[in-house]
Amino acid sequence: MSDLIRPEIKALSAYHVADAGGMIKLDAMENPYGLPDDLIARWLQKISHAALNRYPDPHAAELRDSLRGYMQIPADQAIMLGNGSDELIQMMAMAVAQPGRSILAPEPGFVMYKMIATFVGMDYIGVPLRDDFSLDLPAMLAAVKAQQPALIFLAYPNNPTANLFDEQAMLDIIQASQGLVIVDEAYQPFAGESFMPRLGQFENLLVMRTVSKMGLAGLRLGLLAGNPKWINEFDKVRLPYNINVLTQITAQFALDNASVFEAQATSIREQRSWLLNELNKLADLQVYPSRANFILVRFGKKNASKVFELLKQQGILIKNLSPAGGALDQCLRITVGTSDENRAFVSALRKCLHA
Ligand SMILES: *Cc1c(COP(=O)(O)O)cnc(C)c1O
């Protein structure tokens, strides 16, 4: 029985989430703002009527309609909801997985694409980005042509590099691919750019969104929009009640009060500018441009892992990407926090650099 677990699963390490007890948490691209008190009171009122004894609406029809309006999803495009966009990636992979089939994504990129490929027994092709983290279009097109991946994921903006890829390069990849291209717009509230209006233009284009980064990471709700021809098939591998009652009610409530989240996103974008400006003043630090709610930096002489540990000792948790090595050697990723949190971070970082 010792070979019961597949070797590729045995070789994995479980997705690690750092313990942030009592620390300033700038590691996971969460919105640092909670809900205002008056909104919490009204939300409690709403969920007090939740029918917890009943199964949720399996199609979350009301919420889906609201999301369609809010995210301006074209009327001829279908929508599927997931327990976070992670679950949507998993459902797409499950629906296409076959021996020899592959998932392709630029590297460095979002780690779940590769993990989920492994879960479902698909090959994973990581195509390196250029040194400035832009798409290497010839390399992407060569890989697409040679491997014809079933799924291509393009995070827009990309995580962990924070940049938006060139729009024309993405269109070239969509047109060159016989498989599906999923534009992952997890950071759309901070980028202001979207492929959503292009959905009708390409049959093999899908757009994925999540409410996680806009301030509702605890809800676990993601959305996939695209041609009904694909979405209707993916929907067959969806577990019937994947969006629970409390998530349906709460997400609907959030959309009814969307201006609160939009104002928070505006603050985060302002704080991002402030943080970029402060970081750019520091020596020994390469600061990459950001269209997301986080910033990637690379250290020169200072050891990034050591800076990460020193920050932790000062009660500030960010993400250390340096152990991944390669293109992320000496890199740390900082989620944009509140003004106070960002100030605390910058002053702690200055101390580290002088240590
Ligand atoms: C955070 C993130 C997600 C995950 O979103 P959930 O909806 O919380 O599962 C998806 N894609 C990218 C690129 C991300 O950075």
Side-chain angles (χ1 to χ4, degrees):
M1 295 294 268
S2 63
D3 58 355
L4 200 56
I5 303 296
R6 283 151 50 202
E8 63 269 31
I9 302 299
K10 273 194 164 172
L12 291 175
S13 32
Y15 189 80
H16 175 70
V17 178
D19 178 17
M23 289 206 264
I24 293 183
K25 195 170 182 312
L26 303 176
D27 66 325
M29 281 76 109
E30 291 147 330
N31 175 338
Y33 306 107
L35 291 182
D37 288 344
D38 61 318
L39 220 57
I40 290 181
R42 283 165 47 214
W43 169 62
L44 288 172
Q45 194 65 30
K46 282 265 180 217
I47 59 170
S48 68
H49 300 299
L52 293 179
N53 57 321
R54 303 291 180 196
Y55 283 103
D57 174 355
H59 305 294
E62 187 191 347
L63 175 59
R64 235 170 31 170
D65 287 347
S66 301
L67 285 164
R68 180 185 289 282
Y70 183 67
M71 296 187 176
Q72 296 175 7
I73 298 166
D76 59 348
Q77 301 295 308
I79 300 174
M80 182 167 82
L81 303 184
N83 189 333
S85 32
D86 291 348
E87 193 196 29
L88 292 166
I89 302 167
Q90 190 183 46
M91 287 189 277
M92 286 186 270
M94 279 196 292
V96 302
Q98 259 184 359
R101 290 258 174 104
S102 58
I103 291 179
L104 180 148
E107 294 262 332
F110 185 44
V111 292
M112 290 312 293
Y113 307 143
K114 184 178 182 179
M115 286 188 76
I116 288 171
T118 307
F119 298 167
V120 301
M122 290 175 79
D123 296 330
Y124 175 79
I125 306 158
V127 178
L129 294 169
R130 295 185 194 275
D131 286 347
D132 63 356
F133 297 133
S134 63
L135 282 174
D136 184 342
L137 185 59
M140 288 291 286
L141 293 177
V144 169
K145 195 166 172 220
Q147 321 266 351
Q148 284 302 342
L151 304 175
I152 299 173
F153 286 95
L154 297 172
Y156 189 72
N158 189 39
N159 171 14
T161 59
N163 57 317
L164 280 173
F165 295 138
D166 180 68
E167 190 182 1
Q168 187 55 51
M170 289 175 60
L171 293 171
D172 290 348
I173 292 164
I174 295 167
Q175 279 171 309
S177 170
Q178 289 167 31
L180 301 177
V181 178
I182 300 98
V183 178
D184 180 349
E185 299 188 347
Y187 299 97
Q188 190 274 336
F190 315 104
E193 299 285 337
S194 175
F195 272 66
M196 200 70 93
R198 293 191 180 273
L199 272 182
Q201 245 171 291
F202 305 98
E203 201 182 78
N204 64 334
L205 169 65
L206 296 158
V207 174
M208 195 164 64
R209 295 269 184 93
T210 175
V211 300
S212 293
K213 313 292 156 66
M214 67 173 255
L216 298 166
L219 281 189
R220 310 305 300 130
L221 179 69
L223 174 146
L224 182 70
N227 193 305
K229 167 169 149 183
W230 310 117
I231 302 283
N232 293 345
E233 299 301 325
F234 294 147
D235 202 46
K236 296 177 187 170
V237 301
R238 186 176 60 83
L239 296 175
Y241 305 110
N242 66 328
I243 311 299
N244 73 70
V245 171
L246 296 178
T247 295
Q248 290 191 31
I249 296 173
T250 306
Q252 181 62 55
F253 178 77
L255 292 177
D256 292 341
N257 295 279
S259 59
V260 173
F261 295 91
E262 283 157 13
Q264 292 179 345
T266 302
S267 302
I268 291 167
R269 288 195 300 263
E270 285 164 7
Q271 283 300 310
R272 174 179 70 194
S273 302
W274 181 85
L275 205 47
L276 283 168
N277 192 41
E278 290 298 309
L279 290 169
N280 272 315
K281 290 180 195 163
L282 302 176
D284 194 42
L285 200 61
Q286 184 178 4
V287 184
Y288 291 93
S290 170
R291 297 294 296 270
N293 65 338
F294 59 91
I295 297 171
L296 186 75
V297 298
R298 190 193 301 275
F299 290 82
K301 291 198 194 67
K302 277 274 171 196
N303 181 287
S305 294
K306 191 151 174 228
V307 173
F308 171 77
E309 288 302 331
L310 288 170
L311 285 168
K312 222 159 104 174
Q313 283 167 24
Q314 295 181 75
I316 293 170
L317 183 66
I318 61 171
K319 178 82 177 175
N320 183 9
L321 297 167
S322 199
L328 295 175
D329 183 44
Q330 285 282 74
C331 285
L332 300 179
R333 188 189 68 195
I334 307 106
T335 302
V336 178
T338 64
S339 173
D340 286 352
E341 289 172 338
N342 299 334
R343 277 167 205 281
F345 161 71
V346 169
S347 101
L349 180 61
R350 281 181 193 278
K351 270 190 218 161
C352 298
L353 292 177
H354 295 126

